[in-house]
Amino acid sequence: MRDHVIAVDVGTGSARAGVVDRSGRLLARSEHAIIMHVEGEDIAEQSSEQIWAAVCIAVKGALEATGLSAARIAGIGFDATCSLVLRDTLGAPLALTAKDGQAFDTIVWLDHRAIAEAEECTHTGHAVIQHSGGTLSPEMQIPKLLWLKRQRPDLWARLGSAFDLADFLTWRATGSNARSLSTLTSKWGYLHGTSSPWPTDFLGVIGLSDLTTRAALPDTGVPVGQAIGRLGADAARDLGLDAGIPVGAGMVDAYAGALGVLGRHAADGAEALSGRYALIGGTSSCVVSFAPKPLFRHSVWGPYNEAVFAGSWLTEAGQSATGALLNHILGMHAAGGEPSVARHRAVIERVQAMLAAHGPGFADEINILPDFHGNRSPFADPKLTGMMTGLTLDQSFDGLCRIYWRACVAIALGLRQVLETMHAGETGPVRLHLTGGHVKNALLNELYGDVAGCEVSIPQTDDAVLVGTAINAATAAGLYTSLADAGRAMAPTSVSRPPNLSTRKDQYDRDYRRFLAMQELRATLATI
């Protein structure tokens, strides 16, 4: 009986796979690292072949850990970061860089090489830009491909197809060139629901009139919850699965997380999702919400029509460096080192002891702006930089813990500003549903609610992102008739934590005023 699904989540640093039953229970999870080639601050590349190999290792490991046979698997789904995979006319990797035996053909989502091209696109003022918060990010695919055409015409001439990473994985699994609405609407300027969803006038103005042909982009997208094809024989052998099982349309990783934590509410209609914000915290942080009508906000990506749920518009805001900032703090400090799980845990435990002894104001002299890799919301400026004040010559472990704590506070203050931007003009309370790696950081779990002054729901699962992808896979495989039905049955229960409003008033409101003042100071310094 085929009553389980495989969910694959490809993040920035690893591929994760899980085996999930039809009730949403994650039976086993396996992970394999992904190599990244980095040059300076703006260049980050990966190998799609190495990513696929990591996916196969993770899937086999997860299935083996359950003891289930491949005959129990009804379908498979993929979510991934919005990295850009380049292939030549024969379908082979189109390498930007060749090094150490790897063909790096994938521009990582966080790569900022296309800042100038993104600014040029923004200046057109086209409707595509309005669906990106008024500013096109260099993390989107069109600026990156415009960079490729201008800076690497040799590669552009050989380009046969370009994929969002999730769509590459479904192509590799099925051989189908079909693309997902989840990726097309959010990263490619595809205006789903309009008479001409590909904005040919915009593409012509910026010099990419040949984009859809060169990148082999289809005219329509496949909704989340539908099969994009069936698993091919070669891919089935690579993954250790049976050929012919349905493969769900690919998903943006953050949207899979949103489906995982909000899926059980979708059955009650689009209005039931109002005021609910999914925070997917990892290397960066994404905040995702849904509405029955399009809502436009400066610096908020979207609204994207049916990027996940039919009849709903998705909006997304975020912070460019959150987990990456904490890793950076550990790596740059004399008492830090390689940002391993164990080192994070040691720092967090010491911070908790310092909090118990001295309260949340124990490092008040330190203030941080967390924009170490630009700012998505509310400024939509990839060139903004971070700031730190209150530093001394202290190189001790406790000195590191003070900075780490204040970096966590800064991340939560940034989230408060993001939520204020997204919820502007709306009524009703804000409810935050947390998923991603930040669930494991006890400091952030408390800070998010206390600083933002909202209830935080934490899912009772090891990985709500994988469960969200499993909901997609189960629907595509026919185990459920709709995403809403699958969400009701499979989305995890959660534990809610109310905010400590007294701590917010006594401590974090003052921190927020300092936070805003630092932003004003940064703007002033830039004018001198």
Side-chain angles (χ1 to χ4, degrees), residues 110-135:
L110 54 78
D111 184 291
H112 277 186
R113 73 183 70 195
I115 286 178
E117 287 76 14
E119 290 177 346
E120 180 179 338
C121 292
T122 295
H123 291 156
T124 67
H126 191 274
V128 167
I129 310 305
Q130 303 314 308
H131 280 271
S132 297
T135 305

Side-chain angles (χ1 to χ4, degrees), residues 314-338:
L314 181 150
T315 55
E316 174 190 354
Q319 298 166 275
S320 296
T322 51
L325 174 61
L326 298 181
N327 286 343
H328 183 68
I329 295 296
L330 290 183
M332 70 182 290
H333 198 277
E338 186 67 26

Side-chain angles (χ1 to χ4, degrees), residues 7 14 20 26 42 85 88 94 120 164 188 229 241 259 287 307 328 339 355 380 383 418 448 458 479:
S14 64
V20 183
L26 180 61
D42 293 332
V85 181
D88 66 18
L94 186 62
E120 180 179 338
D164 226 87
W188 293 82
L241 301 174
L259 178 57
V287 184
H328 183 68
L355 286 168
K383 294 184 289 188
V418 167
Y448 283 141
I458 301 176
L479 297 182

Side-chain angles (χ1 to χ4, degrees), residues 92-174:
L94 186 62
L96 294 141
T97 306
K99 185 177 180 181
D100 299 330
Q102 297 284 354
F104 293 101
D105 63 334
T106 302
I107 303 178
V108 182
W109 66 269
L110 54 78
D111 184 291
H112 277 186
R113 73 183 70 195
I115 286 178
E117 287 76 14
E119 290 177 346
E120 180 179 338
C121 292
T122 295
H123 291 156
T124 67
H126 191 274
V128 167
I129 310 305
Q130 303 314 308
H131 280 271
S132 297
T135 305
L136 200 62
S137 168
E139 296 174 12
M140 302 295 190
Q141 309 302 15
I142 286 178
K144 288 176 177 175
L145 287 163
L146 183 56
W147 177 93
L148 183 74
K149 183 174 184 178
R150 290 178 173 174
Q151 304 301 324
R152 294 296 305 272
D154 56 322
L155 296 184
W156 183 260
R158 296 167 51 206
L159 181 66
S161 54
F163 296 95
D164 226 87
L165 181 53
D167 292 321
F168 163 77
L169 295 171
T170 60
W171 171 76
R172 189 63 184 262
T174 66

Side-chain angles (χ1 to χ4, degrees), residues 197-262:
W198 284 115
T200 53
D201 54 343
F202 168 69
L203 296 175
V205 167
I206 63 173
L208 278 181
S209 57
D210 55 345
L211 173 68
T212 56
T213 301
R214 182 66 68 182
L217 297 170
D219 292 333
T220 59
V222 180
V224 174
Q226 290 189 18
I228 211 161
R230 292 187 175 273
L231 191 63
D234 290 344
R237 183 179 60 253
D238 292 345
L239 295 163
L241 301 174
D242 290 344
I245 61 173
V247 177
M251 295 189 72
V252 176
D253 55 348
Y255 303 172
L259 178 57
V261 293
L262 298 179

